[in-house]
Amino acid sequence: IPFDSSGVPAGATVTAATYEMYVTAVANDNSYTAHLVQSTQASLTEIVADDYNNVTFTSIGSKTFASYTLNEYNLLTISDTTVVGKGVGGTTKLSMITNRDLDNSAPPVGDGSSITQQWSEAANPPKLNVTYSLPGGSRIRQHSLLGLP
């Protein structure tokens, strides 16, 4: 999920960040947790199977499948703001994986667990909300970024 973070000035220090996703469906919410991770996907406009190998597998925010509310934005607080800070002045790239990916455990056969969220082209695109300060003690500013189409 790439975000154009060029609106946050280079040199800014990210002090807080959240990710918002508009969830339209959750299937088989048994024991799964969705995790937000950093990505280094090559393309800003398409996702390919090889992008799975371009994530850090270090969670920077999570939420259990059972706690998502359908047909509204769901918020994940980003615990490691340095990940967002790496994209300041350019592009911040994030991805979603499950706890099964994170701990490298196989899902039960025929499980079918999933979360469906609206993407950048939809009416309710993902949002990256960034709070930052500028060098020299400038006041704290907030910036809301929409996912790239």
Side-chain angles (χ1 to χ4, degrees):
I1 309 161
F3 291 91
D4 178 0
S5 43
S6 62
V8 178
T13 300
V14 176
T15 57
T18 59
Y19 172 75
E20 291 182 75
M21 58 191 276
Y22 193 93
V23 176
T24 57
V26 177
N28 298 334
D29 64 2
N30 48 17
S31 62
Y32 283 87
T33 300
H35 292 272
L36 190 64
V37 296
Q38 183 179 11
S39 171
T40 57
Q41 69 191 63
S43 174
L44 298 179
T45 58
E46 66 180 346
I47 298 171
V48 297
D50 283 344
D51 287 336
Y52 181 78
N53 296 317
N54 294 326
V55 299
T56 60
F57 294 98
T58 300
S59 180
I60 60 170
S62 64
K63 190 171 184 144
T64 62
F65 276 31
S67 64
Y68 281 94
T69 304
L70 297 182
N71 301 313
E72 68 180 54
Y73 276 101
N74 288 261
L75 183 95
L76 282 86
T77 299
I78 296 176
S79 60
D80 184 357
T81 57
T82 62
V83 168
V84 176
K86 290 176 186 176
V88 164
T91 305
T92 300
K93 299 176 184 178
L94 304 173
S95 186
M96 296 292 291
I97 62 174
T98 72
N99 54 303
R100 303 281 186 187
D101 298 311
L102 205 58
D103 64 15
N104 198 28
S105 62
V109 175
D111 179 52
S113 293
S114 66
I115 291 179
T116 304
Q117 71 173 330
Q118 289 193 358
W119 294 101
S120 301
E121 307 81 22
N124 301 294
K127 300 176 189 177
L128 178 62
N129 304 301
V130 179
T131 302
Y132 63 93
S133 61
L134 296 173
S138 296
R139 64 184 181 161
I140 293 177
R141 300 176 181 186
Q142 291 187 308
H143 206 77
S144 187
L145 312 169
L146 300 180
L148 291 171

